[in-house]
Amino acid sequence: MQIVFLNRLSRMSGADQEVYAQLWIGEEEGIWRIGWRDFSGNLETDEHIWYEGGSWNEMLCVYRHELAVKMGDGYRPLIDGAFHEEETLAGRNREQLKLQYYSEHHGNQAVYEELCAWRRGKASSERKAPYILASNRLLRMLSAYLPRTEEELLQIPGVGEGKAAQHGSDWLGITAGIPREHSYPLGWVHEAVEEEGFSSWLYKQKEIKYKKQLERLRLRRILLQGIENGLGMEQLQAAGGISRREVLEAVEELEKEGYSVEKLIENELKEVSAEEQSRIWTAYELMGDTFLKPALYKAYGEDFSPAEGLDLYYERLRLIRIRFRRTREPQVMGEAVSY
């Protein structure tokens, strides 16, 4: 096996004891391997194989995720640039991340829960997803920095003039009356944050990011293999451990990336009459394909309300929309394609 990358890492263990590890990437006849060796003194004590397979992308994703775990635990590499990506944080971005880090460790839990309750009520009354109104990260920062005025509110990352105008009075109604020991502006946070703890937190954020990337990569492989083998929605759902809606969303992404999902569409629509499929197709031509609801009622009628619910029919709409969009893409370049 040819070693193509090797790095040494170390961290402090106990009072003054430094422990070492070695991280390597090797390749042999198209098979990639990642290994991690722990050392105690000059003796090798343990070795773990993180990855063995033929996919460069998956190997790199595993490497980044597992390395982020180790660096979150305090290991630091001898060679910089260990993630093989742009790692430099711009000054403003770094300051915003410090504000987020501080808020996660010094938030007022009671205020945070009150803000979450506000978000649930607002989302329900406005029929919106809660995350559209405010992220958990933003609510954490509000609970930690407790703004009392709109001027202070606008210093919180993620709060622009639009959000302040929409929800600022609600937020200030919760935060303004809470006693606080700090002041504004928030430049003091930079000195209050301990650098080593902040660095470990940054690596934990990378760990979360790379884990999601790895899960998406593995799910894509499962779905592509399943579609090629003729699996249906229920079988793909079981293989991927996700909901039918998540299968559909992933299938739509695969189509956008240029992969063929036609086998699945044919399999799922084989019991749907040509006449019903034609009505849906015509609905997209008349109503557009951005929103499903107008196409649903155009295809099935304004009073359509089946006893089994609408989920099955929305699935059909999404599957046929994949075909519809596929045939429309060449027209952007001036080519006429008919269905």
Side-chain angles (χ1 to χ4, degrees):
M1 180 175 63
Q2 180 181 3
I3 300 297
V4 298
F5 175 77
L6 185 67
N7 204 347
R8 186 184 188 189
L9 300 95
S10 64
R11 70 177 176 88
M12 297 305 297
S13 177
D16 297 309
Q17 183 181 4
E18 193 170 18
V19 295
Y20 300 93
Q22 190 180 74
L23 173 61
W24 55 267
I25 299 175
E27 185 272 337
E28 185 176 15
E29 296 182 353
I31 300 299
W32 294 97
R33 293 180 180 84
I34 310 172
W36 172 273
R37 297 188 184 101
D38 287 310
F39 291 87
S40 178
N42 294 322
L43 299 177
E44 180 179 331
T45 59
D46 201 7
E47 180 172 53
H48 305 278
I49 300 298
W50 288 353
Y51 177 80
E52 184 172 13
S55 170
W56 164 263
N57 287 333
E58 186 171 2
M59 181 276 292
L60 189 58
C61 207
V62 170
Y63 165 83
R64 287 172 170 167
H65 172 254
E66 296 294 340
L67 179 58
V69 173
K70 293 295 186 182
M71 295 182 74
D73 290 338
Y75 279 97
R76 296 294 180 264
L78 178 65
I79 302 173
D80 290 332
F83 288 99
H84 300 288
E85 66 172 16
E86 180 58 52
E87 296 182 48
T88 303
L89 287 175
R92 180 175 175 80
N93 189 29
R94 188 176 184 85
E95 293 306 309
Q96 290 182 348
L97 287 170
K98 282 189 174 182
L99 290 172
Q100 180 186 343
Y101 168 75
Y102 183 90
S103 72
E104 290 187 7
H105 292 81
H106 299 87
N108 184 313
Q109 187 61 28
V111 172
Y112 176 72
E113 290 174 1
E114 189 174 352
L115 288 165
C116 288
W118 165 84
R119 182 175 61 179
R120 286 193 299 272
K122 196 75 169 177
S124 176
S125 65
E126 295 186 0
R127 298 181 179 273
K128 293 180 179 178
Y131 69 87
I132 293 177
L133 300 176
S135 65
N136 290 341
R137 177 177 59 190
L138 174 55
L139 297 188
R140 283 285 181 200
M141 285 194 280
L142 291 172
S143 77
Y145 301 118
L146 300 170
R148 294 175 178 172
T149 66
E150 184 173 333
E151 181 182 4
E152 292 180 350
L153 182 63
L154 289 170
Q155 295 181 46
I156 307 294
V159 179
E161 292 185 358
K163 278 195 178 294
Q166 281 183 301
H167 310 304
S169 60
D170 291 343
W171 295 339
L172 293 174
I174 297 171
T175 63
I178 306 299
R180 71 186 192 200
E181 297 179 0
H182 61 264
S183 61
Y184 278 75
L186 299 174
W188 56 267
V189 174
H190 177 77
E191 298 298 329
V193 168
E194 188 268 317
E195 283 296 328
E196 183 60 28
F198 176 62
S199 294
S200 293
W201 177 83
L202 285 176
Y203 291 125
K204 287 294 183 182
Q205 305 314 298
K206 284 183 177 289
E207 176 187 340
I208 294 169
K209 168 188 170 182
Y210 295 137
K211 182 178 181 181
K212 290 180 179 178
Q213 289 180 357
L214 184 58
E215 288 172 349
R216 286 197 298 268
L217 191 63
R218 287 175 170 169
L219 176 62
R220 184 174 70 173
R221 186 181 69 244
I222 289 171
L223 294 180
L224 286 172
Q225 291 176 346
I227 292 171
E228 181 61 28
N229 293 332
L231 301 187
M233 288 285 295
E234 288 188 12
Q235 293 165 307
L236 292 174
Q237 179 184 349
I242 57 177
S243 67
R244 289 179 70 93
R245 182 181 182 87
E246 288 171 321
V247 171
L248 270 173
E249 290 172 351
V251 166
E252 287 173 333
E253 287 301 313
L254 288 173
E255 176 73 19
K256 289 178 184 177
E257 292 172 12
Y259 294 96
S260 174
V261 297
E262 185 58 31
K263 277 190 177 182
L264 175 65
I265 297 175
E266 289 181 0
N267 190 28
E268 292 298 313
L269 296 180
K270 62 185 177 183
E271 303 298 330
V272 181
S273 70
E275 189 271 336
E276 182 177 349
Q277 293 188 47
S278 178
R279 289 204 313 270
I280 295 172
W281 191 275
T282 300
Y284 283 135
E285 290 179 325
L286 295 173
M287 311 300 293
D289 64 9
T290 303
F291 302 105
L292 293 173
K293 193 172 182 178
L296 174 79
Y297 289 121
K298 187 66 177 177
Y300 295 99
E302 292 290 338
D303 298 325
F304 186 63
S305 181
E308 67 272 25
L310 294 173
D311 288 350
L312 173 64
Y313 297 92
Y314 275 121
E315 277 189 14
R316 293 175 183 177
L317 284 165
R318 294 181 75 162
L319 290 170
I320 291 175
R321 185 170 65 177
I322 292 174
R323 282 179 172 171
F324 183 82
R325 288 176 170 175
R326 187 192 306 150
T327 64
R328 289 311 187 257
E329 288 175 1
Q331 288 188 352
V332 175
M333 298 181 289
E335 298 178 15
V337 178
S338 61
Y339 173 70

